[in-house]
Amino acid sequence: MNKPLLATLFILIAAPTWAKQPVATGYGGAVATISDPASQAAMRILNAGGNAIDAAVAAAATLGVTDPFSCGVGGGGFMLIYSAKDKKVITIDSRETAPAYFSPQVFQKNGKEMEWDDAVPTGISVGIPGTVRGWHEALSRYGSMDLARVLQPAIAVAETGFKVSPNFYRINQLNEAKFARFSSTSALYLQDGKALPIGSTFRNPDLAATYRSLGKGGVKAFYEGPLAAQIVQTVNTPPVVNGVSVLTGQMTLNDLKDYEARLRQPIHSTYRGLDLYGMAMPSSGGIAIAEALNILEGFDLKSMPRDQVEHLYLEAARLAFADRNAYVADGEYTDVPKSGLLSKAYASERAKLIDLKQTHGKVAAGDPFLYQDDPSHPLRPKAALATEPAHTTHLTVSDKQGNIVAYTFTIEDWGGSGIVVPGKGFLLNNEMTDFEFSSPHPNVPEAGKRPRSSMSPTLAFKNGKPVFSIGSPGGSTIITTVLQTIVNHIDQGMPLGEALAAPRLSQRNGDKTEVETLLKFVGSPQAKALEQYGHQWQEKDEIGAANGLQFNPDGSTTAVSEPLRHGGGSAIVQRK
Ligand code: GLU
């Protein structure tokens, strides 16, 4: 038997399984994801000698099987890698990109913006998927195993299948109408037009075969050849059921062939002695989190009661969001005032707008251009806030060498465009609806451009040593989830697990602050205390199932996932 095959058998059979838990502390490598099979896949790769990058791709591929409505090879994402050897943070941008036919009018009909819901389940919403190219870049530059090897655990899960959980069912059911439009999607995820029942076994042999072909043919097997042709055909002629017609895309084989993942400089900022690294444009996450923290840094939060800290957190998020909505987009297409938005002097100006006792209500964007390295800037775009839903997944892995990965990836809406590539077992994204639908705005659709994102994988260091990693799904609530978790952890002294499990409050410069029914926030003493500041609530079921790692002073690592959200996540450490 050849060596790789032997190794694979070891990974799949001889390895132990771990009981699912949301928090685990130990030594060596650690992983936290929202899916137990995905965390197990990462741990098997670590135990077989892989590094954090290998294990992260293994977990991501498995999430593509177990959480297919949030992520997969039909989408894109952002990966932060800390390379222990190079003492350096690298970011890989595998964001979906607009095909060459795109123009600022692509989401308009008779000169008017299309409804967001109408734009999603169409061929137009599908951007060129970046995930496979991202995995390729990560593995070939920083990994130690090849794609074929790290895909093995995911292939096993896709073939063996798993029991449909209440959470899988909940999301599938919410998408019944969208999925029913497409024959390939109904065939995979519906049974007589209804979501697969809880407890039934879901297998995805088509996805297993797709993963096998990627293992064999590498990145080219996705971006060139028969699979590429099939993706193009699916986007341009979606497999609709009788009686349904949808807008079709005009993607080309060259769009796929020319797709590039970008290695970008991370956003670097500081907060109370920590060095924070976040995702740069086209994500707005790194910049918005840094701006909000810069605003908060001017307040002595440690001396304040919890309700006042949370009031200030909400107001800082509001101010940062006003700027993010107005100015941040793909930096290759628009002059984003990045240095102004990140400047501490600008943050102190913004902080002056905060009333310690009363919410400000909606605020206007500021003028970061005055704080730019080069302040002679012509562009003052309008602020706008298109619909931004809340899905996606985040995972994080570390290894015994000290490498760390924080990776958020997505197909945008739950179920993406709703279009499964026939016979291939994966859904195509609707990431193009993250663009604004009308100009002038920096985030309008343009050929080759990447839509603004909120995904915020984040790494924190103190004196050059890792302190924590954090990230979340949840559309634009990702930014507030990561920000609030940092404030809970750093300013309120909560261990990372507690900081992440606490009720989320998401203020994105709206009239009301979003909170969760799952955590029964409304009516709680915490809610009542904040109502004294004038805050009002808007409930949704839950906000962002986050995952993180805390690197403890004694050399151990605590992996933290969700106790409740998204059905609960899975944290595993290599050695107790
Ligand atoms: N499209 C979103 C973004 O890039 C992620 C999807 C979501 O979380 O809803 O920010």
Side-chain angles (χ1 to χ4, degrees):
M1 200 177 280
N2 66 24
K3 256 182 155 177
L5 196 57
L6 263 179
T8 301
L9 280 178
F10 171 77
I11 291 171
L12 298 180
I13 298 164
T17 51
W18 298 265
K20 179 175 153 178
Q21 50 185 348
V23 177
T25 298
Y27 297 86
V31 55
T33 81
I34 203 61
S35 153
D36 196 37
S39 293
Q40 305 232 11
M43 197 43 71
R44 285 178 180 164
I45 292 291
L46 288 177
N47 283 346
N51 68 15
I53 294 87
D54 306 322
V57 176
T62 308
L63 278 156
V65 181
T66 60
D67 273 61
F69 310 129
S70 311
C71 61
V73 291
F78 302 128
M79 186 185 284
L80 256 64
I81 296 173
Y82 173 63
S83 162
K85 173 168 65 73
D86 304 318
K87 297 212 174 306
K88 192 177 166 194
V89 176
I90 300 106
T91 82
I92 301 178
D93 165 1
S94 57
R95 181 81 165 157
E96 301 91 326
T97 298
Y101 76 90
F102 257 50
S103 74
Q105 290 78 37
V106 74
F107 290 115
Q108 292 177 12
K109 211 172 158 186
N110 306 326
K112 287 212 175 89
E113 289 188 10
M114 289 170 64
E115 289 296 321
W116 193 85
D117 285 338
D118 294 339
V120 170
T122 71
I124 305 179
S125 73
V126 183
I128 306 157
T131 290
V132 175
R133 176 70 68 179
W135 291 353
H136 170 78
E137 297 298 341
L139 289 175
S140 56
R141 290 168 191 271
Y142 301 101
S144 71
M145 292 176 167
D146 62 19
L147 189 58
R149 182 112 180 253
V150 301
L151 291 177
Q152 284 302 328
I155 291 170
V157 176
E159 277 178 342
T160 314
F162 55 89
K163 292 252 179 286
V164 168
S165 67
N167 192 56
F168 187 103
Y169 173 78
R170 176 177 70 95
I171 301 173
N172 198 0
Q173 194 195 26
L174 283 170
N175 279 293
E176 274 171 5
K178 180 160 80 172
F179 291 171
R181 295 160 65 91
F182 304 102
S183 52
S184 51
T185 316
S186 317
L188 188 59
Y189 291 119
L190 304 181
Q191 203 172 293
D192 302 325
K194 297 274 162 222
L196 304 171
I198 295 171
S200 61
T201 299
F202 175 70
R203 293 190 186 85
N204 194 342
D206 289 347
L207 184 57
T210 298
Y211 281 170
R212 274 213 180 83
S213 77
L214 298 180
K216 211 160 144 217
V219 68
K220 278 197 173 177
F222 191 89
Y223 291 96
E224 298 173 44
L227 180 52
Q230 218 181 331
I231 292 171
V232 165
Q233 193 192 340
T234 306
V235 172
N236 300 348
T237 325
V240 285
V241 299
N242 279 344
V244 171
S245 72
V246 295
L247 294 167
T248 57
Q250 296 167 54
M251 199 180 272
T252 66
L253 284 172
N254 278 341
D255 284 327
L256 274 161
K257 189 161 164 261
D258 293 344
Y259 179 84
E260 287 175 357
R262 298 269 202 274
L263 271 70
R264 300 192 187 278
Q265 289 292 328
I267 294 291
H268 172 243
S269 60
T270 59
Y271 185 61
R272 304 197 197 280
L274 293 175
D275 284 288
L276 293 174
Y277 293 87
M279 190 63 214
M281 289 109 44
S283 183
S284 57
I287 291 177
I289 290 166
E291 182 186 342
L293 289 173
N294 284 341
I295 292 171
L296 288 172
E297 206 171 33
F299 296 94
D300 182 12
L301 299 186
K302 280 231 155 74
S303 71
M304 294 180 184
R306 178 168 177 174
D307 50 297
Q308 197 166 33
V309 173
E310 286 180 337
H311 164 65
L312 291 177
Y313 147 70
L314 293 174
E315 296 300 280
R318 180 191 287 291
L319 288 160
F321 255 93
D323 289 338
R324 172 262 189 206
N325 293 345
Y327 301 118
V328 185
D330 184 341
E332 292 181 19
Y333 280 71
T334 184
D335 283 329
V336 178
K338 186 177 103 174
S339 63
L341 289 169
L342 291 173
S343 110
K344 299 259 186 202
Y346 177 59
S348 355
E349 272 312 301
R350 295 294 270 162
K352 287 182 191 153
L353 295 173
I354 293 182
D355 181 329
L356 284 170
K357 296 275 174 219
Q358 188 63 31
T359 178
H360 193 296
K362 273 191 187 156
V363 291
D367 199 346
F369 294 98
L370 299 173
Y371 297 81
Q372 277 288 92
D373 298 341
D374 165 18
S376 60
H377 223 280
L379 192 68
R380 298 283 197 283
K382 73 165 185 168
L385 186 55
T387 311
E388 295 182 60
H391 320 96
T392 308
T393 197
H394 176 79
L395 64 94
T396 180
V397 188
S398 64
D399 63 28
K400 61 176 190 284
Q401 292 87 17
N403 303 304
I404 312 165
V405 174
Y407 181 30
T408 314
F409 79 125
T410 186
I411 52 172
E412 209 315 272
D413 194 18
W414 266 330
S417 62
I419 312 173
V420 165
V421 181
K424 299 298 163 189
F426 65 90
L427 281 155
L428 290 167
N429 70 83
N430 66 301
E431 213 70 49
M432 298 299 96
T433 58
D434 269 2
F435 282 121
E436 301 289 326
F437 286 10
S438 60
S439 52
H441 190 277
N443 188 38
V444 289
E446 293 178 76
K449 189 173 174 181
R450 299 179 185 208
R452 178 182 60 205
S453 170
S454 300
M455 292 187 288
S456 308
T458 304
L459 297 174
F461 296 79
K462 189 159 202 172
N463 302 325
K465 291 220 167 67
V467 183
F468 62 84
S469 84
I470 184 75
S472 175
S476 53
T477 68
I478 292 172
I479 293 172
T480 53
T481 293
V482 171
L483 176 63
Q484 188 184 1
T485 307
I486 293 174
V487 171
N488 285 348
H489 184 46
I490 299 303
D491 295 302
Q492 310 228 51
M494 298 181 197
L496 196 64
E498 210 178 292
L500 180 151
R504 301 221 207 291
L505 315 171
S506 181
Q507 174 48 253
R508 308 191 303 287
N509 202 22
D511 293 324
K512 295 186 175 180
T513 294
E514 269 181 6
V515 294
E516 304 163 295
T517 42
L518 181 76
L519 280 266
K520 300 188 176 64
F521 180 78
V522 173
S524 68
Q526 196 188 349
K528 289 191 180 131
L530 279 163
E531 283 158 19
Q532 302 301 312
Y533 296 80
H535 294 288
Q536 295 175 37
W537 316 121
Q538 183 172 335
E539 286 190 285
K540 58 185 292 189
D541 49 0
E542 54 180 269
I543 301 175
N547 285 287
L549 297 174
Q550 183 180 331
F551 301 97
N552 304 312
D554 68 355
S556 63
T557 305
T558 304
V560 299
S561 190
E562 294 288 350
L564 293 177
R565 296 181 186 98
H566 208 76
S570 167
I572 310 178
V573 288
Q574 212 165 5
R575 277 183 295 112
K576 287 275 179 191

